[in-house]
Amino acid sequence: MNEEGGEPLIIVRRSRRKKHGHHGGAWKVAYADFVTAMMAFFLVMWLIGVGTRQQRAAISEYFKNPSMVQGNATVAPPGKMGPGGASDSAIKLGGAMDMAHGPGKDRRAAQKAEVPKDVEKLAQEKEKQRLEDLMQQLHAAIDKSQALEPFKDQLLLDITPEGLRIQIVDKQNRPMFDTGSATLKPYTTAILHELATFIDEAPNKISISGHTDDAQYIGDQGYSNWELSADRANAARRALLSGGLVSDKIARVVGLAASVPFDKVDPSDPINRRISIIMMTKQAQDAALSQEEGETMVTPPTSSVPAANSAMPATPVAPSAP
């Protein structure tokens, strides 16, 4: 009670809440380290995803050997001690377009240098597969053709660097031409007419070459096996055109005389007298059509003629050279 006799004085004591001590922002430092590590991780993953094989090899080697001594990276980063050591160049912060991407000024230049090789290799593989498919189709067409049935042993098919080659060879008792002449036998004309239909359906341009044996031509002065083989190749060309082949498909007609024998052991063998029709690859076609511009042939005639035993087994193979 108070002195005046009034109500008693009530004193309430409240305990003060203790405030937590100041942490000093340590969690912020830990969080910043975590964010930095994640940024570095995703940056490395991005570089691996967009880089070429050589660039990935250089990155891998850099982390294996981040020292000043020389390393063995495929595309080494620059360093004071030469390729392979740690780089002493400043980091560019201008963005992804300013980053170093390996050889060349930027990654796009490196890709331009590499893409043509990959495209060319892929195109060659597709071309080879297409030629193999054509050869199988021609085998099937020959097997079904009654007109070609008696002459299967004179038709040889194989694939050369220039393309799918169809060779019509002489036999001892069944020559394609009259002796010493460029006049086609009737059955040779029939063979070429049958082949013209198939060749015309394919997109390839063709090369026609005539071949003789090594027997010296006896006749007009100045007329030799070279002229004879060229005349026979032209006779084959005319027979193909009369069989329905479009003239635009013919890229080259040549006479090679006895310079490329089928049977190298016996140059006088009748099998050396033959007509060779090549359904050309894109590369060989471009080379043939660019000769007038002074460009060199990619594949000389002799390199595209394998040994006699290289003919495909689906058609009978004439006696081959050992």
Side-chain angles (χ1 to χ4, degrees), residues 121-133:
K121 184 178 179 181
L122 181 61
Q124 290 176 352
E125 292 176 354
K126 289 184 177 180
E127 186 84 18
K128 182 180 179 182
Q129 182 61 48
R130 191 168 62 85
L131 290 175
E132 291 177 353
D133 293 341

Side-chain angles (χ1 to χ4, degrees), residues 86-318:
S87 173
D88 57 320
S89 60
I91 299 176
K92 296 182 180 181
L93 301 178
M97 297 302 293
D98 295 331
M99 298 181 63
H101 297 287
K105 294 183 179 179
D106 54 26
R107 181 172 60 86
R108 293 181 181 179
Q111 285 182 344
K112 289 181 180 178
E114 294 175 5
V115 168
K117 294 182 180 179
D118 297 336
V119 171
E120 182 179 357
K121 184 178 179 181
L122 181 61
Q124 290 176 352
E125 292 176 354
K126 289 184 177 180
E127 186 84 18
K128 182 180 179 182
Q129 182 61 48
R130 191 168 62 85
L131 290 175
E132 291 177 353
D133 293 341
L134 278 175
M135 185 169 64
Q136 295 300 324
Q137 294 172 19
L138 183 53
H139 274 302
I142 292 173
D143 290 338
K144 294 178 181 178
S145 174
Q146 295 181 354
L148 296 178
E149 179 67 29
F151 312 108
K152 287 183 179 181
D153 56 346
Q154 289 182 254
L155 292 172
L156 305 179
L157 308 180
D158 59 357
I159 295 177
T160 74
E162 285 192 323
L164 172 59
R165 183 174 58 178
I166 308 167
Q167 295 190 100
I168 311 171
V169 301
D170 260 9
K171 290 196 69 175
Q172 185 67 43
N173 299 321
R174 195 190 296 156
M176 290 183 295
F177 298 87
D178 293 334
T179 303
S181 170
T183 303
L184 288 165
K185 295 287 189 182
Y187 49 80
T188 309
T189 302
I191 293 174
L192 291 168
H193 283 180
E194 288 289 324
L195 292 176
T197 303
F198 177 84
I199 294 173
D200 192 59
E201 293 176 354
N204 308 60
K205 290 184 179 294
I206 66 169
S207 167
I208 307 172
S209 58
H211 302 264
T212 66
D213 56 23
D214 66 345
Q216 295 299 318
Y217 181 82
I218 301 175
D220 298 336
Q221 186 176 4
Y223 193 89
S224 66
N225 283 338
W226 289 100
E227 288 78 14
L228 178 62
S229 61
D231 289 343
R232 288 180 172 180
N234 264 313
R237 176 187 62 84
R238 289 190 293 269
L240 289 171
L241 293 178
S242 65
L245 181 66
V246 178
S247 60
D248 291 343
K249 284 187 173 291
I250 300 175
R252 181 177 60 191
V253 180
V254 295
L256 298 175
S259 62
V260 189
F262 192 91
D263 187 347
K264 294 179 174 60
V265 175
D266 185 7
S268 63
D269 193 310
I271 200 174
N272 293 314
R273 301 191 295 267
R274 66 196 189 279
I275 294 295
S276 178
I277 303 170
I278 298 179
M279 301 175 70
M280 306 170 74
T281 63
K282 183 66 168 60
Q283 184 181 17
Q285 173 185 315
D286 293 342
L289 296 178
S290 63
Q291 279 185 305
E292 293 184 0
E293 300 176 3
E295 298 184 8
T296 305
M297 283 291 296
V298 174
T299 308
T302 54
S303 66
S304 65
V305 181
N309 58 3
S310 66
M312 298 302 295
T315 56
V317 180

